[in-house]
Amino acid sequence: MTAFRTLDQADVKGKRVLVRVDLNVPMENGRVTDATRIERVLPTIREIADKGGKVILLAHFGRPKGRDPKESLKPVAEAVSTHLGKPVAFADDCIGAAAGKAVAALRDGDVLLLENTRFHAGEEKNDPAFVQDLAKLGDLYVNDAFSAAHRAHASTEGLARVLPAYAGRTMQAELDALTKGLEAPKRPVVAIVGGAKVSTKIDLLENLVAKVDALVIGGGMANTFVHAMGLGIGKSLAEKDLAATALRIIDKAREANCAIILPVDGVCAYEFKAGAMNHTYGIDAIPEDQMILDVGSQSVERVSAAINDAATLVWNGPLGAFEIAPFDQGTVAAARHAAQRTKDGKLVSVAGGGDTVAALNHAGVADDFTYVSTAGGAFLEWLEGKSLPGVEALRA
């Protein structure tokens, strides 16, 4: 973390500290239904408050077009208060008189949540005037929202350019994990990339083959590669028009001395539904009237062998249609194997992406990986080798 400024370098006592957090949580009937994102930012909030800082939380919620009561953060303030175990004040705007009055009322150690930053068009435009209106409310800026770091918005990047800026503890943990994953990893490095479509992960695959020692390709996207190599895939999901792209990625991997690991067998069925009759076939013998819905046992053995050879594992995307049994078995088996290697101290495992988090939770091993990112788009863009504006602004 020497490349980034963190709370270790910040003197927060008596200061107004603007803290960008991700509180874009799922809501139902005015109640938070999943508090994971709230729980992740509690250490940063507590540390600043305990050190005598005035904590002023900045966050967005939804995609409002102007002020919209349905997209208000007020109910979220109550949820943050519950999980934090202390009062969280709320201001019904994030700039102007209402915000200024609420900030002025804070004592050292108090916590305040400002209204949805996206109620103002200047937020997503990173408008300098809006940045200045926010900056008037604070002495320091802390970014603890890695999940929004791929956006160059006023509250994620603009503020870091005009106030002394630091990474919060959640951001710090994410950056530590990502550095261990690809920037300065212990080798060999193996990446597992799955999911439905190659088209959404072309940049990712092309970046990874230049950085990792082996790349496991699974899920529906593996079918596109298998098809590109001239094998029949029956009625399986595939982007056959991307065959040339798949072959280009294979060529790039060969040039970079990166092993590509594709399925050697597949669990097939006539239809995609829970408990469907299924059979495992070699990848060169897929029936024309069936579809591949999971990797077979021989493929799982190959993936497990690759994990055994690895010192670092980066995972994005499931190996099969894990949402429906019995087509979850390949993903679950590989995830549990990686988790055990991690627990044995033989593997640094970093995973991220919505489907990946869901799959690891389904396998019951999310807590056993070295780090599981809930950042979604920001995690994917980092894997693609893109610079993240909110992160770059925190460089020492």
Side-chain angles (χ1 to χ4, degrees):
M1 281 299 300
T2 53
F4 301 95
R5 297 182 297 273
T6 72
L7 281 175
D8 293 326
Q9 288 93 48
D11 176 12
V12 301
K13 184 172 177 57
K15 304 281 179 57
R16 301 170 303 162
V17 186
L18 291 168
V19 185
R20 181 53 160 96
V21 289
D22 184 357
L23 299 179
N24 197 23
V25 292
M27 301 277 290
E28 206 170 281
N29 300 321
R31 297 184 68 83
V32 175
T33 56
D34 182 347
T36 303
R37 285 178 167 169
I38 292 173
E39 288 163 356
R40 285 215 164 184
V41 298
L42 294 180
T44 294
I45 297 172
R46 286 197 178 108
E47 180 174 344
I48 296 170
D50 289 348
K51 289 180 175 177
K54 300 168 183 177
V55 184
I56 304 155
L57 302 176
L58 294 169
H60 74 276
F61 188 77
R63 297 181 177 275
K65 302 299 180 199
R67 183 172 284 274
D68 182 348
K70 295 194 295 293
E71 307 277 20
S72 174
L73 278 168
K74 190 169 186 178
V76 182
E78 296 166 17
V80 175
S81 175
T82 298
H83 288 273
L84 188 60
K86 65 184 290 181
V88 173
F90 181 75
D92 64 8
D93 204 346
C94 62
I95 58 172
K101 185 178 179 183
V103 169
L106 292 176
R107 294 170 301 178
D108 293 354
D110 283 354
V111 182
L112 165 70
L113 174 62
L114 302 182
E115 183 58 284
N116 194 340
T117 56
R118 288 190 181 174
F119 281 180
H120 296 269
E123 162 71 335
E124 294 184 71
K125 292 177 181 174
N126 203 0
D127 176 18
F130 182 65
V131 171
Q132 288 299 329
D133 284 341
L134 290 172
K136 289 173 190 171
L137 303 171
D139 304 303
L140 306 175
Y141 170 74
V142 172
N143 192 341
D144 212 29
F146 178 82
S147 51
H150 58 315
R151 309 286 188 214
H153 291 173
S155 69
T156 60
E157 195 263 355
L159 274 174
R161 304 295 184 189
V162 299
L163 288 177
Y166 308 88
R169 296 307 184 194
T170 303
M171 173 77 85
Q172 181 179 351
E174 190 99 29
L175 295 176
D176 275 342
L178 301 190
T179 299
K180 287 175 184 170
L182 277 190
E183 299 305 319
K186 190 176 178 185
R187 291 193 173 274
V189 184
V190 172
I192 296 176
V193 179
K197 294 183 175 182
V198 173
S199 56
T200 60
K201 296 190 177 180
I202 293 171
D203 290 347
L204 170 59
L205 294 169
E206 292 191 333
N207 184 50
L208 286 179
V209 294
K211 288 192 170 184
V212 304
D213 301 290
L215 174 61
V216 175
I217 299 175
M221 62 195 305
N223 302 334
T224 300
F225 280 81
V226 171
H227 164 75
M229 295 166 69
L231 297 173
I233 55 171
K235 293 183 176 178
S236 306
L237 173 72
E239 294 172 290
K240 295 182 178 179
D241 58 323
L242 289 181
T245 301
L247 292 175
R248 185 181 78 234
I249 290 167
I250 290 172
D251 286 342
K252 282 193 169 188
R254 191 178 296 117
E255 291 167 12
N257 204 25
C258 168
I260 295 275
I261 300 172
L262 288 165
V264 292
D265 57 352
V267 180
C268 301
Y270 293 103
E271 56 185 339
F272 177 41
K273 74 171 188 179
M277 280 186 57
N278 61 88
H279 189 79
T280 302
Y281 298 92
I283 209 69
D284 58 349
I286 304 299
E288 289 185 11
D289 57 352
Q290 293 189 43
M291 62 184 83
I292 306 167
L293 293 170
D294 194 12
V295 293
S297 58
Q298 290 182 38
S299 298
V300 173
E301 285 177 15
R302 291 191 78 199
V303 174
S304 295
I307 292 170
N308 288 345
D309 290 340
T312 302
L313 173 69
V314 178
W315 190 330
N316 176 255
L319 298 176
F322 79 95
E323 304 92 341
I324 293 182
F327 309 112
D328 57 345
Q329 292 180 11
T331 300
V332 167
R336 289 179 177 167
H337 187 72
Q340 190 59 53
R341 294 284 294 176
T342 305
K343 285 200 290 185
D344 291 344
K346 295 174 179 174
L347 184 70
V348 171
S349 51
V350 179
D355 283 350
T356 314
V357 176
L360 297 183
N361 282 329
H362 175 69
V365 296
D367 292 340
D368 297 325
F369 271 56
T370 306
Y371 193 82
V372 177
S373 171
T374 58
F379 180 80
L380 197 58
E381 289 198 19
W382 171 81
L383 280 184
E384 291 169 354
K386 296 174 181 174
S387 65
L388 309 181
V391 170
E392 293 306 309
L394 299 175
R395 287 197 182 274

